[in-house]
Amino acid sequence: MELPGAEAARQEGLMEFYGSFQELFEFFCRNTTIHGTVRLVCSGSARSRRAFWTLLLLASLAMLYWQFALMFSQFWAYPVVLTMSMHSEPKMFPAVTVCNLDPYRFELVREHLEQLDRMAEESLTFLYGSSSSSARGFRGKEHNGNGNGNLSSSGFQLSHNFSLVRMAELRAGRRRSSVGFRLCNSTGGNCFYKTYSSGLDAILEWYRFHYMNIMAQLPWVINISQHEQHEEDMVYSCQYDGEPCRPSDFVHFHHPVFGTCYTFNSKGTDPFWKATKPGIPYGLSLLLRAQQRAQLPLLSPLAGLRVLIHRHNQTPFLEHEGFDIRPGIATTISIRQDEVNRLGGNYGKCTTDGADVAVELLYNNSYTLQACLHSCFQQLMLRECGCGYYYYPLPAGARHCDYNRQPGWGHCFYQLYSRLRNHHLDCFQQCPKPCRESLYKVSAGTAKWPSAKSQDWVLQALRHQNGYNSSSSRRDIAKVSIFYQQLNSQAVHEAPLLSENLLLSSMGSQWSLWFGSSVLSVVEMLELLLDALVLALLLCFQRLRSSLGIPAPIPEIQAELRDRAGIPGIPGIPGIPQLQGRPRALAEGSGGDKEQDLGRDLGRDLGQDEPRAEGVW
């Protein structure tokens, strides 16, 4: 006959687990690969030594996770490091834009421009007392009408409400004078003075402000080829790599301030412009006419040429970039190309082609930061001022600003532009840098050209070949040579300072430094936490069974089993033997003959028959 208590004791003995948290912790400390934990067990009764090793382990653990926190904070900051590489290979010659700094006086608005010149003479006389004869020297050459019509009868009138005035103010205890003009909003209730410390700057800006209002009367699309000088009148000679340039190698456009402009190799797709050798003979050589016709001298007081080297399919922003070339000299410009590759994403804001930018580009060329800023500002002008800035393109259906239609647009524009320059507008946040762009570093040298000895035959050759008939010797011609200094290009790449692989490697190094262990030691700690959780659940289950009154196994049977088998009990968990060292299972039949003899002796003591079946009481 089988004993219920003995069967219950045997069933509880089937569980392979620790008997207490102390046993769990001692087993972990004796067998783990983490250095120093064995000292917590082997220190014996030396409490001071055990306390020392406990504090040392806790301090190491604190230092470890402090280092982990620093690593993760640095990783989530997404820092980058710049890597540089050099490449030497044939490359496409950059785009080159050349302007003559002589804006055209359109016949359609000729009368308004002449009236503006007279107003400028009066302002100069009022400010500086100059005679009318000297002031008349800057007035542009008057043209007769050529049958193209005139907008003088369109109803536009130049405003006299923006007169130049001289003002005096105290700055740092000293009396300083400035020149400016008054701007008011549409109601006239809010006004301020746009002032300059230099009277020259004030006159140029005042003239430019009126000029924009006049030019706003012109249609946006106008054929100016019949008004401007032809290409052969500006470019006497053009050669690249020793070969003459073709008509398809350049495009023509007009800039309202910088005059007639030509862009060479604008697309960058023609193999003709492939640079295979560095040096002056293999670059672009231009012989240009730099004659100043003085059509709008107060709009462009410079004499010479503006040259800008830029990327292909890029709008040339001549008011922000480029450099000027004097007439009567030969200028050599050497180029070095750099490439910048940005990561983007979490490591910085950039765009590949501008498709993901919230600002709608108003230029038909590729994305650039300057094109995005101009487009953003133009949209702000349309929204806040009700009209568009003349020098920037317009979206469909919009009109340029004109103080006859919008009396307060100047007040709105200058305040808005001041906010843009001071980064108080969100255009810089909306316009990221390109993820990849080419930058051109230039260095220039000059020399007198032509020399006194060669001047006569150079001018004579120009007269026969290009119809050159100037009497100002060499003051209206310039020679420009643009070439690659070397074909080596420097590429700058952004790379993560702390990548995922480097982060894991650094964490492993710190773990080895403070505990001298590996990834398997981390698994051991996870196993310790899991075992502690299971042990806690078992203890809670045992207490719950006791509180519900479920009878526990017979204590006498437990004691007899433990005493005769020589296995000490586990305090607090009846029926589960306490194991020394590694826990082992007391499975059915694992006790051998000694366990069966123990069962027979216990059965005789209780007055029961011996088990009739093997393994069953």
Side-chain angles (χ1 to χ4, degrees):
M1 180 178 180
E2 185 176 355
L3 296 178
E7 178 64 21
R10 188 177 65 180
Q11 292 297 329
E12 292 189 18
L14 292 176
M15 300 177 60
E16 177 186 357
F17 211 68
Y18 307 96
S20 65
F21 287 104
Q22 180 181 359
E23 179 188 352
L24 173 64
F25 183 69
E26 288 182 357
F27 174 79
F28 176 79
C29 292
R30 290 181 183 275
N31 297 276
T32 185
T33 57
I34 300 177
H35 293 184
T37 54
V38 69
R39 297 288 184 177
L40 301 178
V41 180
C42 298
S43 297
S45 59
R47 294 183 178 181
S48 59
R49 182 175 298 177
R50 180 176 294 180
F52 169 76
W53 282 101
T54 301
L55 293 177
L56 189 59
L57 284 173
L58 292 177
S60 299
L61 186 65
M63 290 296 297
L64 173 67
Y65 284 101
W66 177 60
Q67 292 294 322
F68 281 178
L70 293 180
M71 289 180 187
F72 277 104
S73 62
Q74 185 181 20
F75 176 76
W76 286 325
Y78 299 106
V80 296
V81 61
L82 298 180
T83 60
M84 303 176 63
S85 59
M86 298 292 294
H87 303 278
S88 180
E89 58 185 1
K91 59 188 65 178
M92 187 63 65
F93 199 78
V96 178
T97 297
V98 181
C99 298
N100 65 355
L101 300 178
D102 193 17
Y104 183 74
R105 182 183 290 265
F106 286 94
E107 288 293 332
L108 294 175
V109 290
R110 176 177 53 84
E111 293 186 9
H112 294 310
L113 292 176
E114 291 175 357
Q115 182 183 358
L116 178 59
D117 289 341
R118 290 191 293 269
M119 292 173 56
E121 291 179 14
E122 296 172 359
S123 298
L124 286 174
T125 304
F126 172 75
L127 291 174
Y128 302 108
S130 59
S131 63
S132 59
S133 58
S134 60
R136 195 178 298 114
F138 67 78
R139 186 184 300 182
K141 186 168 62 176
E142 297 183 0
H143 300 272
N144 295 324
N146 55 4
N148 293 323
N150 199 294
L151 296 179
S152 300
S153 60
S154 62
F156 174 80
Q157 297 293 330
L158 282 171
S159 176
H160 295 270
N161 297 328
F162 306 96
S163 301
L164 286 168
V165 294
R166 185 191 298 273
M167 293 170 290
E169 55 184 350
L170 291 176
R171 294 182 182 177
R174 299 181 60 182
R175 186 179 182 86
R176 299 180 181 273
S177 63
S178 59
V179 179
F181 52 99
R182 189 167 178 258
L183 294 164
C184 298
N185 61 359
S186 57
T187 61
N190 186 1
C191 302
F192 72 93
Y193 280 91
K194 181 66 176 176
T195 60
Y196 296 86
S197 58
S198 169
L200 175 62
D201 294 336
I203 293 173
L204 293 177
E205 185 62 29
W206 174 86
Y207 192 95
R208 177 172 169 266
F209 173 70
H210 285 286
Y211 175 76
M212 289 188 291
N213 288 273
I214 295 175
M215 297 301 291
Q217 312 306 312
L218 291 175
W220 176 242
V221 179
I222 182 173
N223 183 14
I224 61 175
S225 59
Q226 56 182 332
H227 304 290
E228 292 190 299
Q229 55 182 324
H230 296 289
E231 177 267 337
E232 57 269 16
D233 295 334
M234 176 180 170
V235 182
Y236 286 149
S237 173
C238 173
Q239 286 186 341
Y240 176 74
D241 196 11
E243 298 292 333
C245 300
R246 303 159 301 180
S248 60
D249 292 332
F250 53 84
V251 294
H252 165 261
F253 66 95
H254 177 267
H255 193 279
V257 175
F258 298 98
T260 302
C261 300
Y262 290 91
T263 299
F264 298 86
N265 191 27
S266 61
K267 299 299 181 182
T269 57
D270 195 337
F272 174 78
W273 292 91
K274 195 77 170 181
T276 58
K277 297 179 182 179
I280 296 178
Y282 309 104
L284 176 64
S285 178
L286 297 173
L287 184 58
L288 303 170
R289 179 174 183 172
Q291 181 180 4
Q292 189 75 4
R293 300 183 180 182
Q295 300 193 51
L296 294 171
L298 279 180
L299 187 65
S300 179
L302 299 176
L305 299 162
R306 172 66 61 92
V307 177
L308 174 61
I309 300 171
H310 54 92
R311 291 181 294 161
H312 308 109
N313 296 314
Q314 174 184 332
T315 302
F317 295 99
L318 296 159
E319 62 272 24
H320 300 287
E321 303 173 283
F323 48 92
D324 299 325
I325 293 178
R326 289 175 50 194
I329 62 173
T331 305
T332 55
I333 304 172
S334 61
I335 309 171
R336 289 193 60 181
Q337 182 179 358
D338 292 341
E339 290 186 1
V340 179
N341 297 274
R342 301 179 177 90
L343 281 176
N346 294 325
Y347 295 95
K349 190 176 181 181
C350 70
T351 179
T352 303
D353 54 2
D356 55 343
V357 178
V359 178
E360 180 184 359
L361 293 184
L362 301 178
Y363 297 88
N364 295 326
N365 290 323
S366 61
Y367 176 89
T368 61
L369 176 61
Q370 205 68 44
C372 182
L373 291 177
H374 285 196
S375 300
C376 178
F377 181 78
Q378 186 73 302
Q379 293 173 5
L380 289 175
M381 277 286 299
L382 294 171
R383 185 168 63 247
E384 298 191 15
C385 304
C387 57
Y389 184 48
Y390 174 73
Y391 293 125
Y392 297 166
L394 285 175
R399 300 187 64 176
H400 286 124
C401 292
D402 169 11
Y403 50 47
N404 284 178
R405 293 190 299 263
Q406 297 92 11
W409 84 265
H411 179 275
C412 176
F413 161 74
Y414 283 108
Q415 287 193 337
L416 195 64
Y417 192 74
S418 177
R419 290 166 56 192
L420 177 69
R421 294 182 59 183
N422 296 327
H423 289 223
H424 293 162
L425 298 178
D426 60 351
C427 289
F428 287 93
Q429 287 72 33
Q430 297 184 29
C431 295
K433 296 180 179 179
C435 292
R436 182 177 182 180
E437 61 179 334
S438 297
L439 305 177
Y440 296 98
K441 295 181 179 180
V442 299
S443 57
T446 59
K448 182 180 178 180
W449 184 88
S451 64
K453 296 294 184 180
S454 62
Q455 177 176 332
D456 293 337
W457 70 264
V458 169
L459 298 181
Q460 184 178 2
L462 290 176
R463 292 189 188 99
H464 285 85
Q465 181 179 355
N466 303 92
Y468 181 80
N469 56 2
S470 176
S471 60
S472 60
S473 64
R474 60 184 183 84
R475 296 182 182 179
D476 56 358
I477 55 176
K479 186 177 182 180
V480 182
S481 299
I482 305 172
F483 60 96
Y484 272 117
Q485 182 179 358
Q486 54 185 3
L487 293 181
N488 295 337
S489 61
Q490 179 176 282
V492 180
H493 300 267
E494 287 185 351
L497 179 63
L498 191 63
S499 61
E500 290 82 356
N501 294 335
L502 186 58
L503 177 64
L504 292 176
S505 177
S506 300
M507 292 176 64
S509 300
Q510 291 294 326
W511 185 271
S512 300
L513 172 65
W514 296 106
F515 287 99
S517 53
S518 63
V519 176
L520 298 180
S521 304
V522 180
V523 178
E524 291 177 359
M525 293 190 65
L526 296 177
E527 183 185 18
L528 173 64
L529 296 176
L530 181 61
D531 290 346
L533 178 62
V534 173
L535 182 58
L537 293 176
L538 289 176
L539 292 176
C540 292
F541 175 74
Q542 182 66 26
R543 292 186 180 180
L544 179 62
R545 188 175 64 175
S546 300
S547 62
L548 295 178
I550 300 176
I554 303 174
E556 291 80 359
I557 297 177
Q558 291 179 333
E560 186 69 21
L561 284 170
R562 289 196 300 268
D563 293 343
R564 299 197 179 192
I567 302 175
I570 299 177
I573 306 181
I576 301 179
Q578 181 179 4
L579 305 179
Q580 299 295 332
R582 181 68 181 173
R584 58 187 178 87
L586 298 179
E588 182 178 357
S590 62
D593 297 336
K594 184 175 180 180
E595 186 180 21
Q596 294 181 5
D597 295 340
L598 177 63
R600 296 189 187 98
D601 295 340
L602 183 59
R604 282 194 294 270
D605 294 340
L606 296 174
Q608 302 292 336
D609 296 334
E610 293 184 1
R612 298 181 181 180
E614 183 179 357
V616 181
W617 292 350

